mmCIF file of all heavy atoms in Angstrom:
data_model
loop_
_atom_site.group_PDB
_atom_site.id
_atom_site.type_symbol
_atom_site.label_atom_id
_atom_site.label_comp_id
_atom_site.label_asym_id
_atom_site.label_seq_id
_atom_site.Cartn_x
_atom_site.Cartn_y
_atom_site.Cartn_z
ATOM 1 N N GLY A 1 -12.525 -9.653 -1.329
ATOM 2 C CA GLY A 1 -12.683 -9.555 -2.752
ATOM 3 C C GLY A 1 -11.585 -8.882 -3.463
ATOM 4 O O GLY A 1 -11.557 -8.793 -4.703
ATOM 5 N N ARG A 2 -10.561 -8.336 -2.718
ATOM 6 C CA ARG A 2 -9.483 -7.597 -3.370
ATOM 7 C C ARG A 2 -8.178 -8.326 -3.259
ATOM 8 O O ARG A 2 -7.074 -7.782 -3.427
ATOM 9 C CB ARG A 2 -9.336 -6.207 -2.743
ATOM 10 C CG ARG A 2 -10.658 -5.366 -2.729
ATOM 11 C CD ARG A 2 -10.902 -4.697 -4.053
ATOM 12 N NE ARG A 2 -10.037 -3.574 -4.266
ATOM 13 C CZ ARG A 2 -10.193 -2.353 -3.800
ATOM 14 N NH1 ARG A 2 -11.254 -2.085 -3.033
ATOM 15 N NH2 ARG A 2 -9.362 -1.439 -4.049
ATOM 16 N N GLU A 3 -8.251 -9.671 -3.016
ATOM 17 C CA GLU A 3 -7.036 -10.393 -2.746
ATOM 18 C C GLU A 3 -6.066 -10.437 -3.935
ATOM 19 O O GLU A 3 -4.827 -10.237 -3.751
ATOM 20 C CB GLU A 3 -7.383 -11.860 -2.339
ATOM 21 C CG GLU A 3 -8.015 -12.012 -0.966
ATOM 22 C CD GLU A 3 -9.508 -11.806 -1.004
ATOM 23 O OE1 GLU A 3 -10.066 -11.360 -2.051
ATOM 24 O OE2 GLU A 3 -10.194 -12.139 -0.022
ATOM 25 N N SER A 4 -6.580 -10.558 -5.142
ATOM 26 C CA SER A 4 -5.757 -10.532 -6.316
ATOM 27 C C SER A 4 -5.021 -9.178 -6.490
ATOM 28 O O SER A 4 -3.849 -9.136 -6.788
ATOM 29 C CB SER A 4 -6.543 -10.909 -7.602
ATOM 30 O OG SER A 4 -5.755 -10.850 -8.728
ATOM 31 N N GLU A 5 -5.792 -8.170 -6.255
ATOM 32 C CA GLU A 5 -5.185 -6.745 -6.380
ATOM 33 C C GLU A 5 -4.103 -6.627 -5.325
ATOM 34 O O GLU A 5 -3.074 -5.988 -5.587
ATOM 35 C CB GLU A 5 -6.311 -5.731 -6.180
ATOM 36 C CG GLU A 5 -5.758 -4.270 -6.260
ATOM 37 C CD GLU A 5 -6.948 -3.332 -5.966
ATOM 38 O OE1 GLU A 5 -8.141 -3.722 -5.944
ATOM 39 O OE2 GLU A 5 -6.588 -2.158 -5.831
ATOM 40 N N PHE A 6 -4.372 -7.104 -4.104
ATOM 41 C CA PHE A 6 -3.375 -7.032 -3.048
ATOM 42 C C PHE A 6 -2.101 -7.746 -3.426
ATOM 43 O O PHE A 6 -0.994 -7.273 -3.208
ATOM 44 C CB PHE A 6 -3.928 -7.618 -1.722
ATOM 45 C CG PHE A 6 -2.868 -7.572 -0.660
ATOM 46 C CD1 PHE A 6 -2.620 -6.391 0.040
ATOM 47 C CD2 PHE A 6 -2.214 -8.743 -0.290
ATOM 48 C CE1 PHE A 6 -1.639 -6.386 1.041
ATOM 49 C CE2 PHE A 6 -1.258 -8.757 0.741
ATOM 50 C CZ PHE A 6 -0.954 -7.538 1.415
ATOM 51 N N GLN A 7 -2.228 -8.952 -3.997
ATOM 52 C CA GLN A 7 -1.045 -9.705 -4.378
ATOM 53 C C GLN A 7 -0.217 -8.928 -5.463
ATOM 54 O O GLN A 7 1.010 -8.881 -5.392
ATOM 55 C CB GLN A 7 -1.428 -11.062 -4.939
ATOM 56 C CG GLN A 7 -1.972 -11.980 -3.861
ATOM 57 C CD GLN A 7 -2.417 -13.371 -4.340
ATOM 58 O OE1 GLN A 7 -2.178 -13.656 -5.496
ATOM 59 N NE2 GLN A 7 -3.126 -14.077 -3.532
ATOM 60 N N HIS A 8 -0.880 -8.271 -6.358
ATOM 61 C CA HIS A 8 -0.161 -7.432 -7.340
ATOM 62 C C HIS A 8 0.461 -6.241 -6.647
ATOM 63 O O HIS A 8 1.586 -5.813 -7.053
ATOM 64 C CB HIS A 8 -1.117 -6.946 -8.438
ATOM 65 C CG HIS A 8 -1.603 -8.035 -9.399
ATOM 66 N ND1 HIS A 8 -0.701 -8.679 -10.196
ATOM 67 C CD2 HIS A 8 -2.849 -8.518 -9.737
ATOM 68 C CE1 HIS A 8 -1.321 -9.574 -10.942
ATOM 69 N NE2 HIS A 8 -2.651 -9.485 -10.687
ATOM 70 N N SER A 9 -0.163 -5.685 -5.666
ATOM 71 C CA SER A 9 0.473 -4.554 -4.938
ATOM 72 C C SER A 9 1.710 -4.973 -4.187
ATOM 73 O O SER A 9 2.664 -4.182 -4.104
ATOM 74 C CB SER A 9 -0.533 -3.953 -3.968
ATOM 75 O OG SER A 9 -0.664 -4.711 -2.807
ATOM 76 N N VAL A 10 1.706 -6.193 -3.655
ATOM 77 C CA VAL A 10 2.907 -6.763 -3.020
ATOM 78 C C VAL A 10 4.072 -6.857 -4.059
ATOM 79 O O VAL A 10 5.191 -6.474 -3.775
ATOM 80 C CB VAL A 10 2.621 -8.069 -2.362
ATOM 81 C CG1 VAL A 10 3.933 -8.769 -1.873
ATOM 82 C CG2 VAL A 10 1.611 -7.920 -1.256
ATOM 83 N N GLU A 11 3.749 -7.370 -5.183
ATOM 84 C CA GLU A 11 4.699 -7.517 -6.258
ATOM 85 C C GLU A 11 5.326 -6.210 -6.681
ATOM 86 O O GLU A 11 6.577 -6.015 -6.787
ATOM 87 C CB GLU A 11 4.062 -8.236 -7.459
ATOM 88 C CG GLU A 11 5.012 -8.442 -8.650
ATOM 89 C CD GLU A 11 4.351 -9.100 -9.817
ATOM 90 O OE1 GLU A 11 3.254 -9.673 -9.615
ATOM 91 O OE2 GLU A 11 4.835 -9.039 -10.932
ATOM 92 N N LEU A 12 4.488 -5.203 -6.877
ATOM 93 C CA LEU A 12 4.941 -3.896 -7.256
ATOM 94 C C LEU A 12 5.828 -3.258 -6.141
ATOM 95 O O LEU A 12 6.943 -2.703 -6.443
ATOM 96 C CB LEU A 12 3.756 -2.953 -7.614
ATOM 97 C CG LEU A 12 4.110 -1.528 -7.960
ATOM 98 C CD1 LEU A 12 4.980 -1.459 -9.212
ATOM 99 C CD2 LEU A 12 2.812 -0.696 -8.072
ATOM 100 N N ALA A 13 5.408 -3.313 -4.909
ATOM 101 C CA ALA A 13 6.132 -2.736 -3.819
ATOM 102 C C ALA A 13 7.517 -3.399 -3.645
ATOM 103 O O ALA A 13 8.494 -2.665 -3.417
ATOM 104 C CB ALA A 13 5.311 -2.832 -2.525
ATOM 105 N N LEU A 14 7.511 -4.700 -3.796
ATOM 106 C CA LEU A 14 8.829 -5.413 -3.682
ATOM 107 C C LEU A 14 9.753 -5.048 -4.820
ATOM 108 O O LEU A 14 11.000 -5.017 -4.644
ATOM 109 C CB LEU A 14 8.601 -6.935 -3.566
ATOM 110 C CG LEU A 14 8.014 -7.420 -2.250
ATOM 111 C CD1 LEU A 14 7.661 -8.888 -2.362
ATOM 112 C CD2 LEU A 14 9.011 -7.172 -1.092
ATOM 113 N N GLU A 15 9.177 -4.819 -5.991
ATOM 114 C CA GLU A 15 10.002 -4.392 -7.130
ATOM 115 C C GLU A 15 10.629 -3.028 -6.825
ATOM 116 O O GLU A 15 11.908 -2.878 -7.066
ATOM 117 C CB GLU A 15 9.086 -4.272 -8.343
ATOM 118 C CG GLU A 15 9.819 -3.868 -9.641
ATOM 119 C CD GLU A 15 8.786 -3.713 -10.746
ATOM 120 O OE1 GLU A 15 7.918 -4.619 -10.913
ATOM 121 O OE2 GLU A 15 8.883 -2.702 -11.465
ATOM 122 N N TYR A 16 9.935 -2.118 -6.300
ATOM 123 C CA TYR A 16 10.474 -0.787 -5.880
ATOM 124 C C TYR A 16 11.500 -0.995 -4.749
ATOM 125 O O TYR A 16 12.561 -0.366 -4.790
ATOM 126 C CB TYR A 16 9.354 0.139 -5.504
ATOM 127 C CG TYR A 16 8.873 0.980 -6.618
ATOM 128 C CD1 TYR A 16 7.861 0.547 -7.463
ATOM 129 C CD2 TYR A 16 9.301 2.327 -6.791
ATOM 130 C CE1 TYR A 16 7.380 1.323 -8.532
ATOM 131 C CE2 TYR A 16 8.825 3.122 -7.784
ATOM 132 C CZ TYR A 16 7.825 2.610 -8.635
ATOM 133 O OH TYR A 16 7.366 3.401 -9.637
ATOM 134 N N ALA A 17 11.137 -1.831 -3.760
ATOM 135 C CA ALA A 17 11.988 -1.962 -2.620
ATOM 136 C C ALA A 17 13.380 -2.547 -3.047
ATOM 137 O O ALA A 17 14.403 -2.094 -2.546
ATOM 138 C CB ALA A 17 11.355 -2.898 -1.634
ATOM 139 N N GLU A 18 13.359 -3.501 -3.901
ATOM 140 C CA GLU A 18 14.666 -4.089 -4.307
ATOM 141 C C GLU A 18 15.528 -3.041 -5.053
ATOM 142 O O GLU A 18 16.681 -2.902 -4.770
ATOM 143 C CB GLU A 18 14.378 -5.272 -5.308
ATOM 144 C CG GLU A 18 15.667 -5.910 -5.769
ATOM 145 C CD GLU A 18 15.408 -7.111 -6.699
ATOM 146 O OE1 GLU A 18 14.245 -7.299 -7.102
ATOM 147 O OE2 GLU A 18 16.337 -7.809 -6.997
ATOM 148 N N TYR A 19 14.854 -2.257 -5.920
ATOM 149 C CA TYR A 19 15.658 -1.335 -6.699
ATOM 150 C C TYR A 19 16.202 -0.180 -5.823
ATOM 151 O O TYR A 19 17.261 0.351 -6.033
ATOM 152 C CB TYR A 19 14.787 -0.712 -7.793
ATOM 153 C CG TYR A 19 15.596 -0.080 -8.923
ATOM 154 C CD1 TYR A 19 16.133 -0.820 -9.970
ATOM 155 C CD2 TYR A 19 15.853 1.320 -8.898
ATOM 156 C CE1 TYR A 19 16.863 -0.269 -10.971
ATOM 157 C CE2 TYR A 19 16.604 1.886 -9.888
ATOM 158 C CZ TYR A 19 17.106 1.080 -10.951
ATOM 159 O OH TYR A 19 17.891 1.698 -11.867
ATOM 160 N N LEU A 20 15.434 0.199 -4.817
ATOM 161 C CA LEU A 20 15.761 1.351 -3.902
ATOM 162 C C LEU A 20 16.577 0.884 -2.752
ATOM 163 O O LEU A 20 17.031 1.724 -1.919
ATOM 164 C CB LEU A 20 14.509 2.076 -3.467
ATOM 165 C CG LEU A 20 13.632 2.661 -4.571
ATOM 166 C CD1 LEU A 20 12.474 3.376 -3.941
ATOM 167 C CD2 LEU A 20 14.446 3.596 -5.458
ATOM 168 N N GLY A 21 16.768 -0.428 -2.550
ATOM 169 C CA GLY A 21 17.488 -0.940 -1.376
ATOM 170 C C GLY A 21 16.757 -0.753 -0.084
ATOM 171 O O GLY A 21 17.353 -0.619 0.966
ATOM 172 N N CYS A 22 15.398 -0.794 -0.170
ATOM 173 C CA CYS A 22 14.567 -0.532 0.996
ATOM 174 C C CYS A 22 14.235 -1.872 1.657
ATOM 175 O O CYS A 22 13.763 -2.783 1.003
ATOM 176 C CB CYS A 22 13.292 0.173 0.580
ATOM 177 S SG CYS A 22 12.198 0.637 1.952
ATOM 178 N N LYS A 23 14.477 -1.958 2.952
ATOM 179 C CA LYS A 23 14.304 -3.192 3.695
ATOM 180 C C LYS A 23 13.025 -3.279 4.524
ATOM 181 O O LYS A 23 12.765 -4.301 5.247
ATOM 182 C CB LYS A 23 15.480 -3.442 4.612
ATOM 183 C CG LYS A 23 16.800 -3.623 3.817
ATOM 184 C CD LYS A 23 16.757 -4.793 2.878
ATOM 185 C CE LYS A 23 18.060 -4.991 2.108
ATOM 186 N NZ LYS A 23 17.974 -6.144 1.193
ATOM 187 N N ARG A 24 12.200 -2.195 4.494
ATOM 188 C CA ARG A 24 10.956 -2.206 5.249
ATOM 189 C C ARG A 24 9.823 -1.702 4.407
ATOM 190 O O ARG A 24 9.953 -0.674 3.734
ATOM 191 C CB ARG A 24 11.131 -1.352 6.522
ATOM 192 C CG ARG A 24 12.155 -1.783 7.520
ATOM 193 C CD ARG A 24 12.422 -0.647 8.496
ATOM 194 N NE ARG A 24 13.644 -0.897 9.228
ATOM 195 C CZ ARG A 24 14.854 -0.655 8.789
ATOM 196 N NH1 ARG A 24 15.060 -0.123 7.612
ATOM 197 N NH2 ARG A 24 15.911 -0.909 9.528
ATOM 198 N N LEU A 25 8.686 -2.390 4.447
ATOM 199 C CA LEU A 25 7.490 -1.949 3.813
ATOM 200 C C LEU A 25 6.324 -1.988 4.738
ATOM 201 O O LEU A 25 6.156 -2.961 5.493
ATOM 202 C CB LEU A 25 7.150 -2.888 2.606
ATOM 203 C CG LEU A 25 8.150 -2.884 1.417
ATOM 204 C CD1 LEU A 25 7.774 -4.005 0.417
ATOM 205 C CD2 LEU A 25 8.167 -1.540 0.731
ATOM 206 N N HIS A 26 5.492 -0.928 4.745
ATOM 207 C CA HIS A 26 4.342 -0.851 5.588
ATOM 208 C C HIS A 26 3.143 -1.354 4.820
ATOM 209 O O HIS A 26 2.760 -0.901 3.750
ATOM 210 C CB HIS A 26 4.068 0.634 6.061
ATOM 211 C CG HIS A 26 2.782 0.822 6.728
ATOM 212 N ND1 HIS A 26 2.094 1.969 6.685
ATOM 213 C CD2 HIS A 26 2.076 -0.006 7.502
ATOM 214 C CE1 HIS A 26 0.976 1.882 7.387
ATOM 215 N NE2 HIS A 26 0.931 0.703 7.909
#
């Protein structure tokens, strides 16, 4: 039931990862 929230969390994490040059996310 939290799939939509999870998808938004992926989007947010990738946004940070791109800006910080981070190549790994847990």
Side-chain angles (χ1 to χ4, degrees):
R2 304 281 287 276
E3 290 86 349
S4 178
E5 181 183 349
F6 177 77
Q7 291 178 10
H8 286 302
S9 79
V10 172
E11 180 180 342
L12 178 61
L14 288 174
E15 181 183 315
Y16 268 82
E18 179 179 11
Y19 199 85
L20 301 180
C22 183
K23 297 300 183 182
R24 299 167 193 80
L25 294 174
H26 172 212

